[in-house]
Amino acid sequence: MGLIKIFLSLFSLVFKALESVGILWDFRLRLSEYIYGKHGATVRGPSNRVLKLPACVIVQRIKQRELTCEGIIQAFIDRIHEVNPLLNAVVGDRFEEALDEAKHIDKILDSCDESNEEERSVLLNKPLLGVPITVKESLACKGFPNSAGLVDRKDTIASKDARVVENLRNAGAIPIAVTNCSELCMWWETANNVYGRTNNPYDTSKIAGGSSGGEGAIISAAGSVCGIGSDVGGSVRMPAFFNGIFGHKPSPSIVPNQGHFPQGISKAFDEYLSMGPLCRYADDLIPMLKAMAGPRAYELHLDEKVDLSSLKVYTLDMEYPLLTSPVDPELLKGLKQVCTFLQERFDATVQDAHMTLFRYSPLIWSAMVLSAENNRIISQFLNSEPEAVAMNPFVEMFKYFLGYSKYHYVTLAVAGFEHLRAPLPNCLPDVASNFVQMGIKLREQIQTLLGDDGILLYPPHPNTALTHHRPSLAPLNFSYTSIFNVLHLPVTQCPLGLDKNGLPLGIQIVAGRNNDRLSIAVARELERQFGGWSAWYPGKISDKKKA
């Protein structure tokens, strides 16, 4: 433990130095707020009722011919045209192809020709028939860019669908667009040098989160019914939280990762990375998850009824991660309200989990992810061609400050850390190994604690959506979500209404491995109690300013 204490002391000194630099950056941000205004625009709520229908209702009405598939697709295309200029969430569309697919579905379902009966029967058995979905750009969608925001890959076009996109198509869903993400999916604000920055629909001066920020923003703004994100440190759950919708990080190795860029090189990393659904309604999480998982969905027993009468609820009082911001009182109040509701509604027991290792979440996650990828989580993806000259992160940092680098500053910071780490003293691998062992121990402890009938309630973030660029002042705040990736646990992010500034509140519901149905069942109950997604954005209403 002596090496760990020395390492923590050094790490704290470095962090304090970064905070000092952050004061100057904070001054720049405050000056920007003074000049341009503190608040942006708020997207108007949808006026077309079709845009507010859950996926399960859309499917039912298409199959019963109460709505046409073409009309539904067109409604969401029109909505994207309306809101995307404010959000910059959609970065590529397949509107014409989607309409053609919708017309074909309508033609078959409306046909009286007996020769079409078999095809009609096939369509009627598809669980997501006609549902418009969006896809994170880092996931391959045939015929569309698959750059993950990296300039060197901006001309890379997917030749086939990622496995999860293929599974959703087989279930009847219709992809209508691809959405923005952070560069290499490695930051919790969605911005890159290929597509630019994505804004929050509740307030365009605020972040949409990352790395699946485009998905979070366009689904919240009713430009899509459901979508696909990827999550290695909270990249589904943070955008879901900041944009006031539902997001689910599945148990590992159930939903296929093939076709995602960047893709890890190790089995361990493949278990940390999960493709997950983002939805406006909790009822859509199960059908989306089943469709995304494909043949392996049976392992989660998602159709089994969940009994909440013996629910055990755990919290972690005052055991939040080191070197992160304190949790906002409104978020803590929401957590307590959830506990009270579950006690009163289901007679659930609520107690503190007393797991002090959660304090080391930032270091546990970093050590385990870096260890899985041979300490090259970023640098292995920075050169598009195998024979290309290796990128020097420090030269690129100099170019960045001159305004000439093609990389995002977070990418350069991580690459620089990886570059410096290699020649450092031999004691550092020992320290990292200690944190890996802490993570393995914590994984065993929490799985034993949760069992088949326990959930952990945990803040999704210390703050509601921040002003653009402010994540740089608190870079480790993603630790509230990331720790659960390396613990191999399923997590459902659930909205809990709005704070005093009109920004979404939320809670993470964590369950035992392969017990996804439990966290989703609790989320459905919380949606009924706390209202879920807010369709009308009752904050600062609309076009006072251009984004």
Side-chain angles (χ1 to χ4, degrees), residues 16-156:
K16 290 295 183 184
L18 290 173
E19 281 185 324
S20 299
V21 174
I23 292 173
L24 298 176
W25 184 247
D26 192 47
F27 174 75
R28 173 185 170 183
L29 294 176
R30 291 184 184 279
L31 182 63
S32 176
E33 286 180 355
Y34 177 77
I35 295 172
Y36 297 108
K38 192 172 182 179
H39 300 293
T42 300
V43 172
R44 287 191 183 276
S47 55
N48 187 336
R49 292 184 180 181
V50 167
L51 299 173
K52 292 186 281 185
L53 296 177
C56 50
V57 174
I58 286 175
V59 172
Q60 182 183 29
R61 294 193 180 180
I62 288 176
K63 291 180 178 180
Q64 294 175 352
R65 307 311 294 141
E66 296 173 8
L67 291 171
T68 66
C69 189
E70 181 185 2
I72 290 167
I73 297 294
Q74 188 62 60
F76 282 91
I77 290 173
D78 292 343
R79 180 64 173 174
I80 289 174
H81 284 311
E82 178 186 355
V83 302
N84 202 53
L86 283 173
L87 301 179
N88 189 37
V90 167
V91 295
D93 69 75
R94 57 184 308 274
F95 294 157
E96 290 185 11
E97 297 92 332
L99 284 170
D100 288 342
E101 292 169 18
K103 290 174 184 176
H104 176 73
I105 291 173
D106 288 333
K107 179 181 177 181
I108 297 300
L109 294 183
D110 290 333
S111 174
C112 296
D113 192 335
E114 290 184 4
S115 64
N116 291 326
E117 191 60 33
E118 183 177 349
E119 189 175 358
R120 185 173 185 273
S121 177
V122 169
L123 289 179
L124 290 174
N125 283 320
K126 291 182 180 290
L128 293 176
L129 182 66
V131 174
I133 63 167
T134 39
V135 180
K136 185 177 182 179
E137 196 262 15
S138 60
L139 274 155
C141 192
K142 185 177 179 180
F144 287 87
N146 182 216
S147 69
L150 196 63
V151 170
D152 284 346
R153 284 179 58 91
K154 64 183 175 65
D155 297 321
T156 300

Side-chain angles (χ1 to χ4, degrees), residues 270-319:
D270 203 47
E271 289 194 318
Y272 302 153
L273 175 65
S274 296
M275 306 300 114
L278 294 96
C279 310
R280 276 177 286 143
Y281 300 102
D283 280 346
D284 291 336
L285 289 171
I286 291 289
M288 276 291 289
L289 183 55
K290 286 173 64 178
M292 291 170 68
R296 297 196 63 176
Y298 77 94
E299 297 180 40
L300 299 181
H301 306 285
L302 295 171
D303 291 326
E304 290 185 9
K305 186 176 180 180
V306 178
D307 181 9
L308 298 180
S309 63
S310 58
L311 185 67
K312 297 174 184 175
V313 178
Y314 298 96
T315 60
L316 287 168
D317 293 341
M318 305 305 293
E319 290 170 8

Side-chain angles (χ1 to χ4, degrees), residues 212-231:
S212 310
E215 283 298 305
I218 201 64
I219 293 168
S220 176
S224 175
V225 180
C226 305
I228 320 169
S230 59
D231 190 315

Side-chain angles (χ1 to χ4, degrees), residues 10 137 183 384 444 466 495 523:
L10 291 172
E137 196 262 15
E183 187 174 271
S384 57
E444 294 170 351
L466 303 172

Side-chain angles (χ1 to χ4, degrees), residues 41-43 86-87 198-209 217 220 239 241-244 465 468 503-504 537:
T42 300
V43 172
L86 283 173
L87 301 179
T198 296
N199 301 316
N200 190 303
Y202 287 86
D203 182 343
T204 56
S205 72
K206 302 295 190 291
I207 66 172
S220 176
F241 165 58
F242 291 134
N243 294 282
H468 290 298
L503 296 171
Y537 303 102

Side-chain angles (χ1 to χ4, degrees), residues 421-485:
R421 189 181 186 279
L424 288 177
N426 291 331
C427 65
L428 282 184
D430 293 334
V431 172
S433 178
N434 281 325
F435 285 116
V436 170
Q437 293 306 311
M438 282 185 188
I440 293 171
K441 180 180 178 181
L442 182 58
R443 184 190 297 162
E444 294 170 351
Q445 287 179 346
I446 195 166
Q447 182 60 57
T448 300
L449 179 77
L450 295 177
D452 295 328
D453 56 2
I455 60 167
L456 172 70
L457 298 176
Y458 201 65
H461 207 74
N463 314 99
T464 52
L466 303 172
T467 305
H468 290 298
H469 304 296
R470 282 194 182 274
S472 304
L473 302 179
L476 299 181
N477 280 358
F478 75 97
S479 303
Y480 286 78
T481 52
S482 65
I483 187 63
F484 299 110
N485 292 77

